[in-house]
Amino acid sequence: AQSVTQLDSHVSVSEGTPVLLRCNYSSSYSPSLFWYVQHPNKGLQLLLKYTSAATLVKGINGFEAEFKKSETSFHLTKPSAHMSDAAEYFCVGSSASKIIFGSGTRLSIRP
Amino acid sequence: GAVVSQHPSRVICKSGTSVKIECRSLDFQATTMFWYRQFPKKSLMLMATSNEGSKATYEQGVEKDKFLINHASLTLSTLTVTSAHPEDSSFYICSANGQGQETQYFGPGTRLLVL
């Protein structure tokens, strides 16, 4: 069975400190993996995507993610959090025409 | 590029009426469009997948006669909530991707409130 697991439902960091949002996947196929961000009452915005071209993927707003096949992980990181990063983040997997959403991680930023 | 719009952004209706939500791809041809429902503080729940010119494929548990989906052109899909009830109140989001593309581009969502 294919699945995408976001390990933390809520992450809180101080402004200016690093951000780590964790995502693990399981798939019989090599998946395409995405991170999306959703601000309150808004749609989802694509942050970055992995499609096997490079394991370290750089996205918008300073975010990046590294695909680690040995760990079946695709964690999202940012070196320095900004107040505007507070939002819900979704890890999404796509393989064999199936799209699978993680349960989401709410990121809070402390001043 | 790759912009998806939804209309309306917010709608309030009376119980028993029908509501139509439009999803448009503005700068690309969307061979496949997806409709999601999102409950407060929850992830997105896929309702159905629609391909242009063919019938939508509904996920298990989604009533196809209640949630009518039409994908009549490569840039427009509509979701009609028929005989809406208060429990249909939710945030409905569409997404679209182009032919052969895996990246989904999401609309801004439609907030439906049924009184």
Side-chain angles (χ1 to χ4, degrees), chain B residues 69-86:
Chain B
I69 291 172
N70 183 280
H71 192 165
S73 78
L74 285 171
T75 59
L76 173 65
S77 177
T78 60
L79 167 68
T80 301
V81 183
T82 62
S83 186
H85 287 94

mmCIF file with all atom_site columns, all heavy atoms in Angstrom, chain B residues 69-86:
data_model
loop_
_atom_site.group_PDB
_atom_site.id
_atom_site.type_symbol
_atom_site.label_atom_id
_atom_site.label_alt_id
_atom_site.label_comp_id
_atom_site.label_asym_id
_atom_site.label_entity_id
_atom_site.label_seq_id
_atom_site.pdbx_PDB_ins_code
_atom_site.Cartn_x
_atom_site.Cartn_y
_atom_site.Cartn_z
_atom_site.occupancy
_atom_site.B_iso_or_equiv
_atom_site.pdbx_formal_charge
_atom_site.auth_seq_id
_atom_site.auth_comp_id
_atom_site.auth_asym_id
_atom_site.auth_atom_id
_atom_site.pdbx_PDB_model_num
ATOM 1   N N   . ILE B 1 69 ? -20.211 16.304 -11.245 1.00 0.00 ? 69 ILE B N   1
ATOM 2   C CA  . ILE B 1 69 ? -18.999 16.906 -11.807 1.00 0.00 ? 69 ILE B CA  1
ATOM 3   C C   . ILE B 1 69 ? -19.070 16.859 -13.320 1.00 0.00 ? 69 ILE B C   1
ATOM 4   O O   . ILE B 1 69 ? -19.366 15.826 -13.910 1.00 0.00 ? 69 ILE B O   1
ATOM 5   C CB  . ILE B 1 69 ? -17.745 16.178 -11.293 1.00 0.00 ? 69 ILE B CB  1
ATOM 6   C CG1 . ILE B 1 69 ? -17.568 16.462 -9.799  1.00 0.00 ? 69 ILE B CG1 1
ATOM 7   C CG2 . ILE B 1 69 ? -16.501 16.596 -12.080 1.00 0.00 ? 69 ILE B CG2 1
ATOM 8   C CD1 . ILE B 1 69 ? -16.497 15.650 -9.139  1.00 0.00 ? 69 ILE B CD1 1
ATOM 9   N N   . ASN B 1 70 ? -18.776 18.000 -13.902 1.00 0.00 ? 70 ASN B N   1
ATOM 10  C CA  . ASN B 1 70 ? -18.755 18.122 -15.360 1.00 0.00 ? 70 ASN B CA  1
ATOM 11  C C   . ASN B 1 70 ? -17.420 18.717 -15.775 1.00 0.00 ? 70 ASN B C   1
ATOM 12  O O   . ASN B 1 70 ? -16.971 19.698 -15.202 1.00 0.00 ? 70 ASN B O   1
ATOM 13  C CB  . ASN B 1 70 ? -19.919 19.011 -15.822 1.00 0.00 ? 70 ASN B CB  1
ATOM 14  C CG  . ASN B 1 70 ? -19.979 19.106 -17.331 1.00 0.00 ? 70 ASN B CG  1
ATOM 15  O OD1 . ASN B 1 70 ? -19.236 19.858 -17.950 1.00 0.00 ? 70 ASN B OD1 1
ATOM 16  N ND2 . ASN B 1 70 ? -20.862 18.337 -17.925 1.00 0.00 ? 70 ASN B ND2 1
ATOM 17  N N   . HIS B 1 71 ? -16.789 18.104 -16.759 1.00 0.00 ? 71 HIS B N   1
ATOM 18  C CA  . HIS B 1 71 ? -15.489 18.598 -17.243 1.00 0.00 ? 71 HIS B CA  1
ATOM 19  C C   . HIS B 1 71 ? -15.611 18.729 -18.755 1.00 0.00 ? 71 HIS B C   1
ATOM 20  O O   . HIS B 1 71 ? -15.083 17.921 -19.506 1.00 0.00 ? 71 HIS B O   1
ATOM 21  C CB  . HIS B 1 71 ? -14.410 17.598 -16.844 1.00 0.00 ? 71 HIS B CB  1
ATOM 22  C CG  . HIS B 1 71 ? -13.009 18.102 -17.032 1.00 0.00 ? 71 HIS B CG  1
ATOM 23  N ND1 . HIS B 1 71 ? -11.931 17.471 -16.463 1.00 0.00 ? 71 HIS B ND1 1
ATOM 24  C CD2 . HIS B 1 71 ? -12.511 19.144 -17.711 1.00 0.00 ? 71 HIS B CD2 1
ATOM 25  C CE1 . HIS B 1 71 ? -10.825 18.103 -16.799 1.00 0.00 ? 71 HIS B CE1 1
ATOM 26  N NE2 . HIS B 1 71 ? -11.144 19.123 -17.548 1.00 0.00 ? 71 HIS B NE2 1
ATOM 27  N N   . ALA B 1 72 ? -16.342 19.763 -19.151 1.00 0.00 ? 72 ALA B N   1
ATOM 28  C CA  . ALA B 1 72 ? -16.752 19.884 -20.543 1.00 0.00 ? 72 ALA B CA  1
ATOM 29  C C   . ALA B 1 72 ? -15.669 20.409 -21.461 1.00 0.00 ? 72 ALA B C   1
ATOM 30  O O   . ALA B 1 72 ? -15.734 20.238 -22.673 1.00 0.00 ? 72 ALA B O   1
ATOM 31  C CB  . ALA B 1 72 ? -17.984 20.791 -20.640 1.00 0.00 ? 72 ALA B CB  1
ATOM 32  N N   . SER B 1 73 ? -14.669 21.078 -20.895 1.00 0.00 ? 73 SER B N   1
ATOM 33  C CA  . SER B 1 73 ? -13.604 21.606 -21.740 1.00 0.00 ? 73 SER B CA  1
ATOM 34  C C   . SER B 1 73 ? -12.273 21.422 -21.034 1.00 0.00 ? 73 SER B C   1
ATOM 35  O O   . SER B 1 73 ? -12.220 21.036 -19.864 1.00 0.00 ? 73 SER B O   1
ATOM 36  C CB  . SER B 1 73 ? -13.838 23.089 -22.043 1.00 0.00 ? 73 SER B CB  1
ATOM 37  O OG  . SER B 1 73 ? -13.469 23.885 -20.924 1.00 0.00 ? 73 SER B OG  1
ATOM 38  N N   . LEU B 1 74 ? -11.214 21.712 -21.728 1.00 0.00 ? 74 LEU B N   1
ATOM 39  C CA  . LEU B 1 74 ? -9.873  21.531 -21.170 1.00 0.00 ? 74 LEU B CA  1
ATOM 40  C C   . LEU B 1 74 ? -9.492  22.607 -20.158 1.00 0.00 ? 74 LEU B C   1
ATOM 41  O O   . LEU B 1 74 ? -8.401  22.557 -19.595 1.00 0.00 ? 74 LEU B O   1
ATOM 42  C CB  . LEU B 1 74 ? -8.838  21.495 -22.294 1.00 0.00 ? 74 LEU B CB  1
ATOM 43  C CG  . LEU B 1 74 ? -8.796  20.196 -23.097 1.00 0.00 ? 74 LEU B CG  1
ATOM 44  C CD1 . LEU B 1 74 ? -7.907  20.343 -24.310 1.00 0.00 ? 74 LEU B CD1 1
ATOM 45  C CD2 . LEU B 1 74 ? -8.321  19.034 -22.232 1.00 0.00 ? 74 LEU B CD2 1
ATOM 46  N N   . THR B 1 75 ? -10.367 23.562 -19.960 1.00 0.00 ? 75 THR B N   1
ATOM 47  C CA  . THR B 1 75 ? -10.051 24.614 -18.999 1.00 0.00 ? 75 THR B CA  1
ATOM 48  C C   . THR B 1 75 ? -11.124 24.809 -17.938 1.00 0.00 ? 75 THR B C   1
ATOM 49  O O   . THR B 1 75 ? -11.000 25.688 -17.087 1.00 0.00 ? 75 THR B O   1
ATOM 50  C CB  . THR B 1 75 ? -9.836  25.965 -19.717 1.00 0.00 ? 75 THR B CB  1
ATOM 51  O OG1 . THR B 1 75 ? -11.028 26.301 -20.436 1.00 0.00 ? 75 THR B OG1 1
ATOM 52  C CG2 . THR B 1 75 ? -8.653  25.903 -20.672 1.00 0.00 ? 75 THR B CG2 1
ATOM 53  N N   . LEU B 1 76 ? -12.168 23.999 -17.958 1.00 0.00 ? 76 LEU B N   1
ATOM 54  C CA  . LEU B 1 76 ? -13.265 24.224 -17.026 1.00 0.00 ? 76 LEU B CA  1
ATOM 55  C C   . LEU B 1 76 ? -13.840 22.908 -16.509 1.00 0.00 ? 76 LEU B C   1
ATOM 56  O O   . LEU B 1 76 ? -14.178 22.010 -17.278 1.00 0.00 ? 76 LEU B O   1
ATOM 57  C CB  . LEU B 1 76 ? -14.379 25.026 -17.697 1.00 0.00 ? 76 LEU B CB  1
ATOM 58  C CG  . LEU B 1 76 ? -15.677 25.202 -16.896 1.00 0.00 ? 76 LEU B CG  1
ATOM 59  C CD1 . LEU B 1 76 ? -15.424 26.027 -15.630 1.00 0.00 ? 76 LEU B CD1 1
ATOM 60  C CD2 . LEU B 1 76 ? -16.749 25.852 -17.750 1.00 0.00 ? 76 LEU B CD2 1
ATOM 61  N N   . SER B 1 77 ? -13.947 22.821 -15.200 1.00 0.00 ? 77 SER B N   1
ATOM 62  C CA  . SER B 1 77 ? -14.684 21.741 -14.554 1.00 0.00 ? 77 SER B CA  1
ATOM 63  C C   . SER B 1 77 ? -15.629 22.366 -13.548 1.00 0.00 ? 77 SER B C   1
ATOM 64  O O   . SER B 1 77 ? -15.303 23.388 -12.935 1.00 0.00 ? 77 SER B O   1
ATOM 65  C CB  . SER B 1 77 ? -13.736 20.774 -13.840 1.00 0.00 ? 77 SER B CB  1
ATOM 66  O OG  . SER B 1 77 ? -14.456 19.770 -13.153 1.00 0.00 ? 77 SER B OG  1
ATOM 67  N N   . THR B 1 78 ? -16.806 21.781 -13.401 1.00 0.00 ? 78 THR B N   1
ATOM 68  C CA  . THR B 1 78 ? -17.757 22.299 -12.421 1.00 0.00 ? 78 THR B CA  1
ATOM 69  C C   . THR B 1 78 ? -18.168 21.201 -11.468 1.00 0.00 ? 78 THR B C   1
ATOM 70  O O   . THR B 1 78 ? -18.278 20.025 -11.839 1.00 0.00 ? 78 THR B O   1
ATOM 71  C CB  . THR B 1 78 ? -19.015 22.881 -13.100 1.00 0.00 ? 78 THR B CB  1
ATOM 72  O OG1 . THR B 1 78 ? -19.657 21.848 -13.848 1.00 0.00 ? 78 THR B OG1 1
ATOM 73  C CG2 . THR B 1 78 ? -18.664 24.045 -14.006 1.00 0.00 ? 78 THR B CG2 1
ATOM 74  N N   . LEU B 1 79 ? -18.379 21.614 -10.231 1.00 0.00 ? 79 LEU B N   1
ATOM 75  C CA  . LEU B 1 79 ? -18.899 20.736 -9.180  1.00 0.00 ? 79 LEU B CA  1
ATOM 76  C C   . LEU B 1 79 ? -20.230 21.322 -8.738  1.00 0.00 ? 79 LEU B C   1
ATOM 77  O O   . LEU B 1 79 ? -20.275 22.490 -8.329  1.00 0.00 ? 79 LEU B O   1
ATOM 78  C CB  . LEU B 1 79 ? -17.934 20.669 -8.005  1.00 0.00 ? 79 LEU B CB  1
ATOM 79  C CG  . LEU B 1 79 ? -18.471 20.045 -6.709  1.00 0.00 ? 79 LEU B CG  1
ATOM 80  C CD1 . LEU B 1 79 ? -18.730 18.555 -6.904  1.00 0.00 ? 79 LEU B CD1 1
ATOM 81  C CD2 . LEU B 1 79 ? -17.494 20.264 -5.547  1.00 0.00 ? 79 LEU B CD2 1
ATOM 82  N N   . THR B 1 80 ? -21.294 20.542 -8.868  1.00 0.00 ? 80 THR B N   1
ATOM 83  C CA  . THR B 1 80 ? -22.597 20.992 -8.412  1.00 0.00 ? 80 THR B CA  1
ATOM 84  C C   . THR B 1 80 ? -23.011 20.172 -7.204  1.00 0.00 ? 80 THR B C   1
ATOM 85  O O   . THR B 1 80 ? -23.101 18.937 -7.292  1.00 0.00 ? 80 THR B O   1
ATOM 86  C CB  . THR B 1 80 ? -23.654 20.862 -9.522  1.00 0.00 ? 80 THR B CB  1
ATOM 87  O OG1 . THR B 1 80 ? -23.248 21.636 -10.660 1.00 0.00 ? 80 THR B OG1 1
ATOM 88  C CG2 . THR B 1 80 ? -25.003 21.369 -9.048  1.00 0.00 ? 80 THR B CG2 1
ATOM 89  N N   . VAL B 1 81 ? -23.218 20.849 -6.100  1.00 0.00 ? 81 VAL B N   1
ATOM 90  C CA  . VAL B 1 81 ? -23.725 20.200 -4.895  1.00 0.00 ? 81 VAL B CA  1
ATOM 91  C C   . VAL B 1 81 ? -25.248 20.285 -4.965  1.00 0.00 ? 81 VAL B C   1
ATOM 92  O O   . VAL B 1 81 ? -25.821 21.379 -4.882  1.00 0.00 ? 81 VAL B O   1
ATOM 93  C CB  . VAL B 1 81 ? -23.194 20.887 -3.625  1.00 0.00 ? 81 VAL B CB  1
ATOM 94  C CG1 . VAL B 1 81 ? -23.673 20.143 -2.379  1.00 0.00 ? 81 VAL B CG1 1
ATOM 95  C CG2 . VAL B 1 81 ? -21.668 20.963 -3.652  1.00 0.00 ? 81 VAL B CG2 1
ATOM 96  N N   . THR B 1 82 ? -25.887 19.151 -5.176  1.00 0.00 ? 82 THR B N   1
ATOM 97  C CA  . THR B 1 82 ? -27.335 19.163 -5.356  1.00 0.00 ? 82 THR B CA  1
ATOM 98  C C   . THR B 1 82 ? -28.050 18.971 -4.021  1.00 0.00 ? 82 THR B C   1
ATOM 99  O O   . THR B 1 82 ? -27.549 18.253 -3.133  1.00 0.00 ? 82 THR B O   1
ATOM 100 C CB  . THR B 1 82 ? -27.766 18.048 -6.316  1.00 0.00 ? 82 THR B CB  1
ATOM 101 O OG1 . THR B 1 82 ? -27.400 16.779 -5.743  1.00 0.00 ? 82 THR B OG1 1
ATOM 102 C CG2 . THR B 1 82 ? -27.086 18.198 -7.670  1.00 0.00 ? 82 THR B CG2 1
ATOM 103 N N   . SER B 1 83 ? -29.186 19.631 -3.876  1.00 0.00 ? 83 SER B N   1
ATOM 104 C CA  . SER B 1 83 ? -29.978 19.529 -2.652  1.00 0.00 ? 83 SER B CA  1
ATOM 105 C C   . SER B 1 83 ? -29.072 19.620 -1.421  1.00 0.00 ? 83 SER B C   1
ATOM 106 O O   . SER B 1 83 ? -29.001 18.691 -0.614  1.00 0.00 ? 83 SER B O   1
ATOM 107 C CB  . SER B 1 83 ? -30.774 18.214 -2.642  1.00 0.00 ? 83 SER B CB  1
ATOM 108 O OG  . SER B 1 83 ? -31.651 18.173 -1.541  1.00 0.00 ? 83 SER B OG  1
ATOM 109 N N   . ALA B 1 84 ? -28.398 20.732 -1.334  1.00 0.00 ? 84 ALA B N   1
ATOM 110 C CA  . ALA B 1 84 ? -27.394 20.895 -0.276  1.00 0.00 ? 84 ALA B CA  1
ATOM 111 C C   . ALA B 1 84 ? -28.016 20.857 1.116   1.00 0.00 ? 84 ALA B C   1
ATOM 112 O O   . ALA B 1 84 ? -29.129 21.345 1.331   1.00 0.00 ? 84 ALA B O   1
ATOM 113 C CB  . ALA B 1 84 ? -26.652 22.213 -0.484  1.00 0.00 ? 84 ALA B CB  1
ATOM 114 N N   . HIS B 1 85 ? -27.288 20.274 2.039   1.00 0.00 ? 85 HIS B N   1
ATOM 115 C CA  . HIS B 1 85 ? -27.680 20.237 3.437   1.00 0.00 ? 85 HIS B CA  1
ATOM 116 C C   . HIS B 1 85 ? -26.569 20.825 4.290   1.00 0.00 ? 85 HIS B C   1
ATOM 117 O O   . HIS B 1 85 ? -25.423 20.927 3.825   1.00 0.00 ? 85 HIS B O   1
ATOM 118 C CB  . HIS B 1 85 ? -27.975 18.788 3.852   1.00 0.00 ? 85 HIS B CB  1
ATOM 119 C CG  . HIS B 1 85 ? -29.245 18.261 3.298   1.00 0.00 ? 85 HIS B CG  1
ATOM 120 N ND1 . HIS B 1 85 ? -29.305 17.545 2.126   1.00 0.00 ? 85 HIS B ND1 1
ATOM 121 C CD2 . HIS B 1 85 ? -30.521 18.361 3.731   1.00 0.00 ? 85 HIS B CD2 1
ATOM 122 C CE1 . HIS B 1 85 ? -30.556 17.224 1.862   1.00 0.00 ? 85 HIS B CE1 1
ATOM 123 N NE2 . HIS B 1 85 ? -31.316 17.712 2.815   1.00 0.00 ? 85 HIS B NE2 1
ATOM 124 N N   . PRO B 1 86 ? -26.886 21.202 5.517   1.00 0.00 ? 86 PRO B N   1
ATOM 125 C CA  . PRO B 1 86 ? -25.844 21.814 6.361   1.00 0.00 ? 86 PRO B CA  1
ATOM 126 C C   . PRO B 1 86 ? -24.579 20.975 6.482   1.00 0.00 ? 86 PRO B C   1
ATOM 127 O O   . PRO B 1 86 ? -23.483 21.537 6.580   1.00 0.00 ? 86 PRO B O   1
ATOM 128 C CB  . PRO B 1 86 ? -26.568 21.967 7.708   1.00 0.00 ? 86 PRO B CB  1
ATOM 129 C CG  . PRO B 1 86 ? -28.000 22.174 7.326   1.00 0.00 ? 86 PRO B CG  1
ATOM 130 C CD  . PRO B 1 86 ? -28.215 21.282 6.134   1.00 0.00 ? 86 PRO B CD  1
#
